[in-house]
């Protein structure tokens, strides 16, 4: 009976890895009254209330293309920031209310990491190929 448990957990791990690699699964560490996160093909949208923490997911971008990113934060309090991380989790591009746009050429797989500090309101990160 034990081999069935091992096979089940191996299959579950493979499914989770597959979902994360396709950008459909999200890792997070959040404390919030309200947290709604919607990842899309050309934008991420977040609605939050008293939120602290971070969310990370795999960005779906075509390799070898240049993208323009635009961050819009409609916050009544607190701060929010989005970072584009390379394979080694080093930040390549950081967007917030002070620096809301950026352009970068993407060559490999990247993670998008949202960070919130006592944030309340709505945020949107959109991107387009240029």
């Amino acid at each position: 009976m034990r081999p069935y448990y091992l096979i089940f957990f191996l299959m579950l791990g493979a499914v989770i890895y597959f979902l994360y690699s396709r950008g459909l699964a999200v890792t997070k560490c959040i404390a919030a009254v309200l947290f709604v996160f919607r990842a899309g093909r050309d934008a991420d949208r977040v609605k939050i209330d008293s939120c602290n923490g971070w969310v990370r997911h795999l960005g779906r971008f075509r390799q070898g293309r240049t993208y323009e990113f635009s961050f819009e934060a409609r916050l009544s309090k607190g701060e929010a920031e989005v970072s584009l991380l390379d394979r080694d989790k080093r930040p390549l591009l950081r967007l917030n209310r002070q620096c809301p746009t950026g352009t970068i050429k993407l060559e490999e797989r990247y993670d998008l990491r949202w960070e919130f500090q006592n944030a309340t309101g709505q945020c949107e990160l959109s991107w387009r190929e240029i």
Side-chain angles (χ1 to χ4, degrees):
M1 190 112 120
R2 287 187 182 166
Y4 295 116
Y5 288 117
L6 179 62
I7 292 170
F8 172 75
F9 286 116
L10 287 173
M11 293 299 291
L12 181 63
V15 167
I16 291 170
Y17 176 77
F18 176 77
L19 291 174
Y20 185 79
S21 69
R22 298 291 182 255
L24 301 173
V26 174
T27 57
K28 63 183 176 175
C29 180
I30 292 289
V33 173
L34 170 71
F35 180 80
V36 178
F37 179 81
R38 293 186 314 235
R41 288 193 174 272
D42 60 353
D44 286 351
R45 292 170 184 83
V46 181
K47 185 174 183 179
I48 47 181
D49 188 9
S50 299
C51 183
N52 286 304
W54 58 267
V55 174
R56 188 176 71 214
H57 72 95
L58 188 67
R60 293 187 250 171
F61 309 110
R62 291 184 176 172
Q63 295 180 357
R65 309 283 172 95
T66 301
Y67 285 88
E68 179 180 49
F69 289 85
S70 178
F71 178 70
E72 182 181 353
R74 296 178 302 276
L75 300 174
S76 57
K77 69 175 187 175
E79 292 297 324
E81 180 177 88
V82 179
S83 299
L84 184 68
L85 308 174
D86 67 6
R87 191 174 289 238
D88 297 324
K89 308 299 182 235
R90 291 183 302 235
L92 301 174
L93 180 67
R94 242 175 240 226
L95 302 175
N96 52 37
R97 287 199 271 191
Q98 291 75 31
C99 181
T101 60
T103 303
I104 190 168
K105 184 173 183 176
L106 302 179
E107 296 295 339
E108 55 184 46
R109 293 171 46 158
Y110 298 91
D111 284 336
L112 288 168
R113 180 181 169 102
W114 289 78
E115 295 185 36
F116 306 99
Q117 290 108 25
N118 224 9
T120 297
Q122 296 180 12
C123 300
E124 180 176 335
L125 174 70
S126 58
W127 55 86
R128 67 182 182 91
E129 189 180 322
I130 55 172

